[in-house]
Amino acid sequence: MVDTFPLDYARARTAFLAAAEEAGARLRTFTLPGHLGPDGGELRVDTAVLGPPDPAKLLVTVSGTHGIEGFCGSACQTGVLLREGVARAAAGPTTGVLLVHALNPYGFAHLRRVNEDNVDLNRNFVDHAAPPHNDAYDAVHSTLVPPQDGAFTPAELVADLTALRDRLGPQRLQEAVTRGQYRHPDGLFYGGRAPAWSRRVFETVVAEQIAGAGHVAYIDLHTGLGERGVGEPIFRGGRDADAHQRARRWYGDALTASEEGTSSSTPIVGNTATAVADGLGPGGRLTAITLEFGTQPGPEVLLALCADNWLHRNRPPAEAVRSGLKRLIRDAFCPAQDARWREQVLQRAREVFDQALTGLADAKPTGSD
């Protein structure tokens, strides 16, 4: 199954649609206006649904929230849920499966973590009239985003990032950088100034394909944090009192929580699970996780993000995507030649999908407490 990992966005989408049709899924497509892929093709978010139109219980998986991380997420959806028949076997009279493929198609196609406007989609689900400012990021922005003029020198950036890490400490630096920021449109982890197109698409999906379910098991597929090859389930929500303990029952001791300091991820704001929680309202239950697959040490991932940011501030998209610097971000979020990593990812995805479906099957009907 290692060949399940796509070579590019276009082939990922083709494989996903073919597998979804073979599984008998109902398909829907959203086309990103005003932008094309490096190959000139249109960029689309696709959803595939199996099971009844109004399920009481629903497994939702999302790939490509962070564009380039879609290589991994797409492989898990296409290879495990669809080709291996997991989704079709899980769908029943009261249980459905929804796959949201390539939520950030621009980033996926252009090998970027961010979208067409340099927005980190997983920081975009906030009230933009009163965004949660991150003062700590202001102090590190100039180091992370070197001036546009002049050649990019990785060695200089590594030295600057090392000095910053030595001064702040790894934890404080990660918190400052990754929490999300709303003041620097050219910076890293920028949450935007308005709802992004992908956010609006996802909110439509929530309203039309998720909101009626009584209990949603939500898995957003990501890469780039944690031990290489390990799939860490990070608690991302559910607003009923039992949500965290329920997630612990489902996913066991491997479950982590950013707010408790047990995760490779520090606390973030504006993630996609927020939209699901808002859409379900008080009557529905949500058990949400990020499934995070580790790739490289944190300093190497941060270097890749800084390099890619510089590249796209200094080169047109079509030229940037062909640059040799793209190797850094590709290796940081989907190691290109590591078959062992890919095998670990698919095996862990099988385990976590099974845990989610078992948890859903055992969950009490809404309102039975």
Side-chain angles (χ1 to χ4, degrees), residues 30-38 40-44 105-107 109-110 115-117 197-198 200-201 317-318:
F30 302 83
T31 302
L32 175 66
H35 296 276
L36 299 174
E42 292 188 317
L43 301 172
R44 298 182 170 102
Y106 183 92
H110 288 85
N115 78 346
E116 59 276 8
D117 298 313
W197 175 82
S198 290
R200 299 195 302 272
V201 166

Side-chain angles (χ1 to χ4, degrees), residues 42-115:
E42 292 188 317
L43 301 172
R44 298 182 170 102
V45 176
D46 296 289
T47 67
V49 182
L50 295 95
D54 54 350
K57 300 177 180 181
L58 182 65
L59 171 66
V60 180
T61 68
V62 179
S63 67
T65 299
H66 285 146
I68 192 169
E69 299 176 30
F71 286 97
C72 171
S74 178
C76 294
Q77 291 177 316
T78 301
V80 178
L81 287 173
L82 293 174
R83 288 182 181 164
E84 294 184 13
V86 173
R88 185 160 51 186
T94 61
T95 301
V97 179
L98 167 63
L99 293 77
V100 182
H101 184 264
L103 185 56
N104 170 10
Y106 183 92
F108 197 159
H110 288 85
L111 306 180
R112 301 213 69 193
R113 187 175 174 277
V114 294
N115 78 346

Side-chain angles (χ1 to χ4, degrees), residues 307-338:
D308 199 63
N309 177 280
W310 180 91
L311 179 63
H312 282 268
R313 286 185 298 115
N314 285 273
R315 302 286 185 272
E319 181 181 339
V321 78
R322 297 191 298 269
S323 169
L325 282 176
K326 280 294 180 182
R327 177 186 56 80
L328 294 176
I329 196 164
R330 184 66 184 261
D331 288 348
F333 293 101
C334 186
Q337 305 298 325
D338 190 342

Side-chain angles (χ1 to χ4, degrees), residues 250-275:
W250 290 16
Y251 300 108
D253 291 341
L255 184 77
T256 65
S258 302
E259 289 74 16
E260 296 177 356
T262 59
S263 174
S264 62
S265 168
T266 53
I268 66 174
V269 294
N271 64 80
T272 59
T274 303

Side-chain angles (χ1 to χ4, degrees), residues 153-332:
T153 309
E156 290 183 9
L157 181 55
V158 168
D160 291 342
L161 292 176
T162 300
L164 190 62
R165 187 169 62 252
D166 290 345
R167 177 165 58 86
L168 297 179
Q171 185 75 11
R172 285 182 60 202
L173 176 59
Q174 183 181 353
E175 291 172 354
V177 174
T178 66
R179 181 175 180 83
Q181 57 89 13
Y182 301 85
R183 293 172 175 163
H184 304 273
D186 62 341
L188 271 59
F189 296 86
Y190 173 58
R193 290 179 176 163
W197 175 82
S198 290
R199 170 180 169 172
R200 299 195 302 272
V201 166
F202 190 61
E203 289 174 337
T204 298
V205 171
V206 170
E208 298 180 0
Q209 299 181 274
I210 298 177
H215 196 152
V216 173
Y218 182 73
I219 302 175
D220 196 7
L221 297 154
H222 286 261
T223 62
L225 286 176
E227 184 179 346
R228 189 176 181 89
V230 173
E232 175 190 352
I234 307 171
F235 180 67
R236 285 290 181 236
R239 292 175 180 164
D240 63 285
D242 189 45
H244 196 174
Q245 287 306 310
R246 182 172 60 246
R248 177 75 63 188
R249 292 193 297 271
W250 290 16
Y251 300 108
D253 291 341
L255 184 77
T256 65
S258 302
E259 289 74 16
E260 296 177 356
T262 59
S263 174
S264 62
S265 168
T266 53
I268 66 174
V269 294
N271 64 80
T272 59
T274 303
V276 183
D278 290 344
L280 284 178
R285 286 197 188 95
L286 171 65
T287 309
I289 64 167
T290 292
L291 181 55
E292 183 82 43
F293 293 99
T295 53
Q296 294 181 336
E300 294 179 34
V301 174
L302 181 57
L303 172 64
L305 290 172
C306 293
D308 199 63
N309 177 280
W310 180 91
L311 179 63
H312 282 268
R313 286 185 298 115
N314 285 273
R315 302 286 185 272
E319 181 181 339
V321 78
R322 297 191 298 269
S323 169
L325 282 176
K326 280 294 180 182
R327 177 186 56 80
L328 294 176
I329 196 164
R330 184 66 184 261
D331 288 348

